[in-house]
Amino acid sequence: MKTDILVIGGGVAGLRCAEEASKNADVILISDGSGASPYIHGINIPLHADDNVECFFNDTMKSGRYQNNTALVKILCQSSLELVNEFCFDKKGNEYDLLKPLGSAYPRVAGIKGKTGISVIRSINGDSFTHLKKIRAVKLICTDGKVHGAACFNKVTGKHFVISAKAVVLACGGFGNIFPYSTNTSDIGGDGIAMAYDIGAKLCDMEFIQFEPSAAVFPEQLMGKSIITTMFYDGAVLRNGQNKRFTDERVDKDVLSVNIYNEIKNGSPTPHNGVYFDMTAVPLNTMLTKYKSYYDRYKSCGIDVSEEPVEITTMPHTTLGGVKINERCETNIDGLFACGEVSGGLHGANRLGGNAGLEVIVFGKLAGKAASEYAGMVNAADDVSDEFNDRESLQTAEDKKILQKAVYNGLNVIRCEEELTMALEIAGSLINKYKNAENDYNAVRLYNDSLTAYLSLMSALKRKSSVGCHIRKDSASDGYAYTIDIIKNGNKPGIEKRLINGYKR
Ligand SMILES: Cc1cc2nc3c(=O)[nH]c(=O)nc-3n(C[C@H](O)[C@H](O)[C@H](O)COP(=O)(O)OP(=O)(O)OC[C@H]3O[C@@H](n4cnc5c(N)ncnc54)[C@H](O)[C@@H]3O)c2cc1C
């Protein structure tokens, strides 16, 4: 199979990219599911009367603890206002109806009836490109520093095959599922990072994993479903197992996650090892307009959140590090682009709520434009022949559990050298076990997850000081902002640590 541009991932980043790229090129998009994008409740746009792009920029940098890639933040903030011409955001009278995210100076989250992600997905013109579903890329094909396509696995037929392309865009989301539980859907994994790293792409900020302060631990059917934290500005509070408030809720997400984690570990947890998210003081009309999807979700399980609190905990939510990109979503590999959550650098060490949804809309389109310009300049891709002898898949479920447990112990909200090192050893041994398992889908997926975990753990070990969502209990902040980049050096990861000029936290 052959195309100009192969887009890997069918969330908002991938779809926006494919739509834009298909204006000038032949595009195939592959996906396994819909990823996190349908859950985007709202996105940041500085539409409040007192707000502006500069203030939005400052909040994003401050939230990110000045670890952000400034050039990417500028593009994000400057492009945000253009979206009011593209989408119809909710209004109250003549004013935009905005929510206030944690860490933001003004109400800034604009939404489309609580279903912003779904609305953006529905706005895509899917006729302009080919979308192949239930297909997973497992390996990128690269020779002489140039990408030529990807080896893929068809989950319906159980067969591997190759898609050749002049350019490949990674839009395959974060890697939250290397944890035993997270707020992510099951199609999200470590493939994107591992595939990129294996062909020499540079990664950055791999230690920054954002924990959502409020994800359900009960009832069972809602496990991992997050509750939007803007509700703290509308009357919601947190209480411990003894019904006592234990934290100021209106703090940055990274700080709130630590406070919840500590209360559960060392204070008074609730029966399901969480804390109470108490929405009973949120006015009912606000609940039924701004937060109806959350109200309905619990109501379908027989719980009326306007009358009783629910149990939540902090869980891995979005990954802030990933494939290093420039302002055109280019990587250091010719023909390889990345956009959305699989890329790194934009959010720094702590993501401002509402910026991930904006990121995928803005950078998905930019990646599509840049990839189609690139494809217009290079020769047609060679059709790389199918040379697969599919192997019967190994049983990897037990090893997957071992990896996830190690990741949970090593990369939790609060980290230390000893636990990180133990987890690194486990991830390393699984990489060795599965590294030659070509054409075996289960084994390659576990190899990719183990490699991604290893790189994240390694980066977390290297960053000895605490910053944002990377909290080391064995060392405090050193006050400096620096990036940790990882690039393959021979068969080993090479680490580059670089001070970010001009910023001292
Ligand atoms: C529950 C939840 C609620 C959220 N709410 C908000 C919010 O209100 N506002 C906000 O700003 N952000 C929010 N976020 C974050 C935001 O949703 C994500 O960061 C964003 O949607 C990521 O989009 P994406 O297109 O990069 O990846 P995703 O939407 O995750 O899509 C990834 C795609 O890649 C595919 N894929 C993965 N691996 C492969 C592979 N190997 N081969 C082929 N396909 C692959 C997946 O199947 C999927 O199609 C939320 C996240 C979650 C989990």
Side-chain angles (χ1 to χ4, degrees):
M1 203 177 275
K2 192 172 169 182
T3 184
D4 291 333
I5 299 168
L6 170 63
V7 179
I8 302 174
V12 167
L15 290 167
R16 293 270 295 179
C17 171
E19 184 182 50
E20 182 64 22
S22 62
K23 289 177 184 165
N24 296 306
D26 184 48
V27 178
I28 293 179
L29 179 149
I30 58 168
S31 67
D32 187 5
S34 305
S37 292
Y39 300 96
I40 298 170
H41 190 89
I43 61 167
N44 282 324
I45 310 181
L47 293 166
H48 188 274
D50 300 326
D51 202 1
N52 56 47
V53 169
E54 197 186 343
C55 187
F56 180 21
F57 173 86
N58 289 337
D59 281 349
T60 300
M61 295 297 293
K62 187 164 167 260
S63 255
R65 310 291 181 251
Y66 302 100
Q67 297 284 147
N68 321 54
N69 178 328
T70 316
L72 299 183
V73 179
K74 278 187 186 151
I75 293 175
L76 181 88
C77 298
Q78 283 162 0
S79 311
S80 62
L81 284 168
E82 291 162 18
L83 299 181
V84 294
N85 302 322
E86 231 185 300
F87 301 102
C88 202
F89 293 103
D90 297 340
K91 284 188 165 178
K92 216 195 249 164
N94 288 330
E95 306 288 319
Y96 283 101
D97 194 6
L98 305 170
L99 299 172
K100 187 167 180 210
L102 298 178
S104 185
Y106 300 105
R108 195 177 281 142
V109 173
I112 308 168
K113 300 192 175 8
K115 294 190 172 161
T116 308
I118 292 172
S119 303
V120 176
I121 290 168
R122 286 191 183 141
S123 76
I124 302 290
N125 173 11
D127 296 336
S128 62
F129 55 90
T130 305
H131 186 167
L132 305 176
K133 296 184 179 169
K134 289 286 158 209
I135 308 286
R136 248 189 125 87
V138 287
K139 194 175 175 183
L140 295 177
I141 297 162
C142 180
T143 47
D144 305 326
K146 199 169 168 187
V147 80
H148 299 290
C152 304
F153 181 74
N154 184 325
K155 290 179 81 175
V156 178
T157 63
K159 295 279 177 204
H160 283 91
F161 66 105
V162 166
I163 301 179
S164 305
K166 292 179 184 177
V168 173
V169 184
L170 289 173
C172 38
F175 53 89
N177 274 328
I178 62 170
F179 286 83
Y181 55 79
S182 74
T183 62
N184 292 182
T185 48
S186 59
D187 54 324
I188 297 302
D191 295 333
I193 301 292
M195 291 190 296
Y197 166 83
D198 260 342
I199 62 160
K202 198 178 256 194
L203 310 177
C204 65
D205 296 344
M206 284 294 291
E207 69 280 26
F208 296 144
I209 295 168
Q210 185 96 54
F211 278 65
E212 175 63 32
S214 53
V217 281
F218 186 81
E220 181 73 32
Q221 59 268 46
L222 296 187
M223 181 77 174
K225 295 268 183 252
S226 57
I227 306 177
I228 197 162
T229 45
T230 58
M231 235 190 263
F232 294 132
Y233 289 100
D234 284 308
V237 291
L238 293 175
R239 297 183 200 278
N240 66 14
Q242 295 181 340
N243 262 322
K244 289 201 180 111
R245 305 247 327 249
F246 59 91
T247 179
D248 176 3
E249 295 83 4
R250 300 176 187 188
V251 289
D252 285 353
K253 278 192 176 193
D254 53 353
V255 178
L256 191 55
S257 290
V258 170
N259 293 351
I260 292 171
Y261 177 86
N262 280 333
E263 185 61 33
I264 293 168
K265 212 154 184 186
N266 309 315
S268 301
T270 55
H272 297 92
N273 220 23
V275 296
Y276 290 119
F277 194 115
D278 186 348
M279 305 168 234
T280 54
V282 177
L284 192 58
N285 64 337
T286 305
M287 180 60 78
L288 296 179
T289 48
K290 280 181 170 179
Y291 304 116
K292 190 164 184 318
S293 57
Y294 298 94
Y295 179 86
D296 288 347
R297 185 188 287 169
Y298 276 94
K299 197 79 182 164
S300 70
C301 301
I303 297 171
D304 185 343
V305 293
S306 68
E307 293 195 343
E308 57 177 310
V310 295
E311 288 181 69
I312 57 103
T313 188
T314 174
M315 274 188 204
H317 185 54
T318 47
T319 47
L320 309 186
V323 181
K324 190 158 185 157
I325 55 167
N326 64 13
E327 297 93 303
R328 288 171 48 80
C329 298
E330 292 163 329
T331 70
N332 59 314
I333 303 288
D334 267 0
L336 182 67
F337 299 77
C339 57
E341 204 176 322
V342 75
S343 67
L346 172 69
H347 305 291
N350 174 60
R351 176 172 71 79
L352 191 66
N355 268 2
L358 177 61
E359 171 189 21
V360 292
I361 297 175
V362 169
F363 285 92
K365 190 169 177 179
L366 284 179
K369 187 164 184 290
S372 69
E373 282 169 6
Y374 173 87
M377 290 186 310
V378 298
N379 293 328
D382 286 337
D383 215 339
V384 186
S385 64
D386 279 15
E387 285 178 5
F388 289 111
N389 293 315
D390 291 273
R391 290 200 211 163
E392 194 167 332
S393 237
L394 295 171
Q395 291 305 317
T396 54
E398 281 309 309
D399 279 344
K400 185 167 182 184
K401 276 190 202 151
I402 291 171
L403 177 74
Q404 289 179 325
K405 189 167 175 226
V407 168
Y408 177 81
N409 291 336
L411 290 170
N412 215 316
V413 176
I414 296 183
R415 304 163 175 183
C416 70
E417 178 143 358
E418 195 190 339
E419 284 163 355
L420 285 166
T421 308
M422 277 164 57
L424 188 82
E425 279 167 14
I426 292 168
S429 70
L430 290 170
I431 291 172
N432 278 334
K433 183 167 174 184
Y434 290 106
K435 68 182 174 201
N436 296 321
E438 293 222 344
N439 309 343
D440 171 339
Y441 175 68
N442 287 346
V444 173
R445 288 235 24 215
L446 190 52
Y447 166 79
N448 283 344
D449 282 358
S450 305
L451 181 55
T452 300
Y454 188 90
L455 298 168
S456 183
L457 287 156
M458 195 177 163
S459 212
L461 267 167
K462 190 74 184 172
R463 189 180 292 277
K464 296 203 182 296
S465 66
S466 298
V467 58
C469 60
H470 172 70
I471 305 290
R472 290 280 302 255
K473 70 179 168 202
D474 44 3
S475 62
S477 167
D478 59 8
Y480 285 98
Y482 54 85
T483 57
I484 296 180
D485 293 347
I486 301 184
I487 188 163
K488 201 172 183 181
N489 184 6
N491 270 336
K492 290 213 167 104
I495 285 224
E496 295 168 8
K497 196 170 153 184
R498 210 167 30 82
L499 270 181
I500 299 173
N501 289 335
Y503 284 110
K504 187 167 190 303
R505 293 191 303 273

